[in-house]
Amino acid sequence: MMQKLILYNSLTNKKELFKPVKEGYVGMYVCGPTVYSNVHLGNVRTFMSFDMIFRYFLHLGYKVRYVRNITDAGHLTDDSQEDKISKKARLEQLEPMEIVQKYTTDFHQILEKFNFLPPSIEPTATGHIMEQIETIQTILNNGLAYEVNGSVYFDVLRYNEKEHYGILSKRNIEDAIENTRVLDGQSDKKNPQDFALWKKAEPEHIQRWNSPWGEGFPGWHLECTVMSTKYLGEEFDIHGGGMDLKFPHHECEIAQAQACNHVNPVRYWLHGNMLTMNGKKMAKSTGNNILPEEIFTGENENISKAFAPSVARFFMMQAHYRSILDFSNDAILAAEKGFNRLMEAVDLSKKLKAGEESTLDIRSWQEKCYEAMNDDFNSPILIANLFEAVRWINLINDGKESLVQSDLDLLNLALNDFVFDILGLENSMDKNDDSRIVDGLVHLLIEMRKVARANKDWALSDKIRDELLAVGVQLKDGKDGTTYSLI
């Protein structure tokens, strides 16, 4: 069921009709994580947006090749010329590949809990060193890079003579020159804005590979150019990532691809917006931060209880992927109420009895749902339409509206498509009856403990808390009451 789909293209800063390179096929590349730490919630939001987009293309009947890489080498830190993975390996006294394995596993486990579909291909930077070396050599041969003391740099000014470095970020080269800060180790460059294609490995650098220019490691920008074009071709449909990657990372990707293949590599650039917390930027240093796992356990002072992964997913789907989204305890509590209302209605809809006539226009409602998704994947408008269906389901259940069987079947099919297949939500109550029983029993004991405390029966109160802890249930007393998490 191919639909007319409109995308907001960051390259042109306007909405455009989606026309794939090859009819019926979609090639999509999304910049994956640099695996040196636990994946944070802002990253999850970006990947979740593209999981929804992936799901929608599949629902429309496209054959999709979705490539999302793993950066396991070459990502320099902001304040030095040290690779993030090598730095973490040195701090934790582990091999770099131990760091990579540890945090790649964490990344996959978190995304699985959020019900992500796996990408078609998940290439790693270290698995494509030879291709990166070949690409560097091609750019050198084309006169758009230079080698100095074992490192190779992209010549931005030379490239800008014929192409536009800044075409995506809408920066001009003069501003780039003026605003480029000088870092240690950049004295080898012809110009400060030139970026590394290959870096010479200093004696203390752990990750290193042989190359025609000596032992070193690839530049971060180069990895994505090589892996995207290897698996999707010199020109492909969609490149996605967070807005923070637009410059310099994605800008450099365009320049490298143009310098190597003489073609603009991507038709549509899609960028997800940032996630804030309590109205401020997330930061570990200030404590204004939360990890996905802490949402599931409730073990973070910024939230009052634990939340199911699908509740957190629903919370994120309530905002458009290009909008800033603010996470707070009140916001996710409200999302949980909305999620539960939606799931209860989905369950109730399956039990509705058909009437003799249809007093509601289900086909028109279904079309509105598609119109929302076809307008740059507008998930909040889709959710608003889903709650219109929730209202209808309750009216039908109360006997105030009715649907014939064929319309009732269409309603249930559409709900399944949009709620589960496209938004990727899971009905946790329906999925695991045992968990509902456990939840009910624990809350019963919490209420008994509350009564005991009110009666100053501290012995019974402590006994309930300690016995639950002994079987892996940890109680957490807060200003809004007592919550629990499984440990």
Side-chain angles (χ1 to χ4, degrees):
M1 178 176 37
M2 300 297 179
Q3 299 257 340
K4 283 190 175 181
L5 179 60
I6 304 294
L7 311 183
Y8 184 88
N9 190 351
S10 297
L11 189 65
T12 59
N13 282 345
K14 63 182 182 181
K15 290 183 177 181
E16 299 176 3
L17 180 66
F18 177 67
K19 294 182 180 179
V21 174
K22 184 178 180 182
E23 189 65 33
Y25 292 80
V26 175
M28 181 168 76
Y29 184 89
V30 173
C31 294
T34 302
V35 282
Y36 71 99
S37 64
N38 297 106
V39 62
H40 65 75
L41 201 60
N43 289 143
V44 168
R45 187 199 174 192
T46 297
F47 299 135
M48 189 178 291
S49 296
F50 288 100
D51 180 68
M52 174 194 66
I53 290 168
F54 178 35
R55 287 170 172 274
Y56 191 55
F57 277 121
L58 291 174
H59 174 76
L60 293 182
Y62 285 96
K63 292 185 177 179
V64 187
R65 177 174 287 178
Y66 175 23
V67 182
R68 188 186 66 214
N69 75 298
I70 297 286
T71 295
D72 56 353
H75 195 153
L76 302 181
T77 56
D78 296 331
D79 56 351
S80 73
Q81 293 295 291
E82 186 172 15
D83 179 280
K84 288 185 176 181
I85 292 161
S86 293
K87 181 177 181 179
K88 192 63 174 284
R90 177 171 55 76
L91 291 173
E92 294 193 14
Q93 296 185 320
L94 295 171
E95 283 289 327
M97 282 301 118
E98 285 184 273
I99 296 294
V100 166
Q101 185 64 37
K102 176 181 177 180
Y103 293 113
T104 300
T105 299
D106 168 74
F107 175 68
H108 287 149
Q109 288 175 342
I110 291 297
L111 265 55
E112 186 176 346
K113 288 180 180 178
F114 277 117
N115 196 32
F116 278 55
L117 296 177
S120 314
I121 302 173
E122 192 174 53
T124 64
T126 56
H128 296 77
I129 298 295
M130 292 309 299
E131 291 94 335
Q132 291 175 75
I133 290 172
E134 289 170 4
T135 297
I136 294 169
Q137 191 60 61
T138 300
I139 297 174
L140 278 166
N141 294 344
N142 290 341
L144 292 170
Y146 55 92
E147 184 266 332
V148 182
N149 297 329
S151 293
V152 182
Y153 297 98
F154 190 91
D155 193 332
V156 171
L157 290 184
R158 183 79 179 272
Y159 170 80
N160 205 55
E161 290 173 3
K162 293 185 178 179
E163 303 292 346
H164 178 195
Y165 182 76
I167 190 171
L168 179 65
S169 58
K170 308 301 180 279
R171 303 182 182 208
N172 59 55
I173 197 71
E174 291 77 16
D175 290 340
I177 293 171
E178 186 177 332
N179 295 324
T180 301
R181 63 190 175 98
V182 178
L183 300 176
D184 291 338
Q186 289 192 343
S187 56
D188 288 341
K189 296 182 181 183
K190 287 183 181 179
N191 303 288
Q193 66 273 12
D194 294 348
F195 56 89
L197 299 174
W198 186 266
K199 284 293 293 180
K200 177 184 178 181
E202 300 301 326
E204 67 274 12
H205 199 92
I206 308 170
Q207 287 185 292
R208 56 178 66 222
W209 290 267
N210 289 322
S211 79
W213 318 285
E215 286 194 344
F217 55 95
W220 171 41
H221 311 308
L222 182 73
E223 298 168 359
C224 287
T225 293
V226 167
M227 289 184 281
S228 61
T229 55
K230 176 181 173 68
Y231 295 109
L232 298 174
E234 293 181 1
E235 183 188 15
F236 56 94
D237 299 302
I238 294 171
H239 193 313
M243 283 191 177
D244 57 318
L245 298 180
K246 188 183 291 187
F247 185 88
H249 185 54
H250 292 160
E251 198 73 73
C252 294
E253 281 191 61
I254 293 173
Q256 290 164 158
Q258 288 272 24
C260 190
N261 302 319
H262 310 292
V263 64
N264 196 341
V266 181
R267 285 197 175 184
Y268 307 92
W269 286 88
L270 273 56
H271 289 96
N273 215 325
M274 67 187 295
L275 182 70
T276 58
M277 187 166 178
N278 298 317
K280 301 176 183 176
K281 183 179 179 181
M282 284 197 184
K284 290 181 182 177
S285 58
T286 63
N288 194 54
N289 184 64
I290 188 167
L291 292 173
E293 193 64 43
E294 293 171 341
I295 294 176
F296 310 152
T297 63
E299 295 176 359
N300 186 292
E301 63 182 16
N302 290 290
I303 55 174
S304 59
K305 62 187 286 292
F307 296 92
S310 260
V311 169
R313 184 173 180 121
F314 179 73
F315 162 74
M316 294 198 207
M317 291 289 106
Q318 285 180 305
H320 192 272
Y321 77 94
R322 288 192 291 112
S323 300
I324 293 174
L325 174 62
D326 188 56
F327 181 93
S328 69
N329 186 60
D330 288 345
I332 196 165
L333 280 171
E336 184 178 52
K337 289 180 181 177
F339 173 80
N340 289 338
R341 276 184 60 214
L342 180 60
M343 292 303 144
E344 287 164 4
V346 168
D347 286 343
L348 179 59
S349 182
K350 298 171 187 173
K351 302 169 186 174
L352 294 176
K353 294 182 179 179
E356 294 182 359
E357 64 172 338
S358 289
T359 58
L360 300 164
D361 188 347
I362 297 301
R363 292 190 184 279
S364 177
W365 167 82
Q366 182 189 37
E367 191 54 40
K368 285 182 180 179
C369 292
Y370 278 114
E371 286 173 4
M373 287 302 294
N374 291 338
D375 183 13
D376 195 34
F377 314 105
N378 200 323
S379 59
I381 298 299
L382 169 62
I383 289 172
N385 287 324
L386 292 175
F387 277 102
E388 179 69 1
V390 169
R391 188 175 70 85
W392 287 357
I393 289 165
N394 289 320
L395 288 172
I396 296 167
N397 188 56
D398 293 341
K400 296 176 181 177
E401 301 283 2
S402 66
L403 292 176
V404 298
Q405 189 62 53
S406 60
D407 282 343
L408 197 55
D409 291 342
L410 179 60
L411 174 62
N412 282 307
L413 176 64
L415 284 171
N416 187 77
D417 287 343
F418 290 109
V419 174
F420 302 119
D421 290 351
I422 295 168
L423 292 180
L425 302 175
E426 291 182 292
N427 192 338
S428 53
M429 294 182 292
D430 183 49
K431 183 182 176 186
N432 192 344
D433 287 336
D434 289 344
S435 68
R436 296 178 67 187
I437 294 169
V438 169
D439 184 69
L441 291 172
V442 172
H443 276 103
L444 176 62
L445 289 168
I446 288 173
E447 284 301 312
M448 291 173 63
R449 180 169 173 265
K450 183 179 178 181
V451 172
R453 295 176 79 186
N455 294 332
K456 299 189 182 329
D457 190 347
W458 308 119
L460 178 57
S461 170
D462 291 347
K463 181 178 175 63
I464 292 172
R465 180 197 63 204
D466 295 342
E467 292 289 341
L468 283 172
L469 186 61
V471 295
V473 179
Q474 185 174 56
L475 298 185
K476 180 181 178 182
D477 295 318
K479 61 180 181 180
D480 297 321
T482 302
T483 59
Y484 76 91
S485 59
L486 304 178
I487 58 174

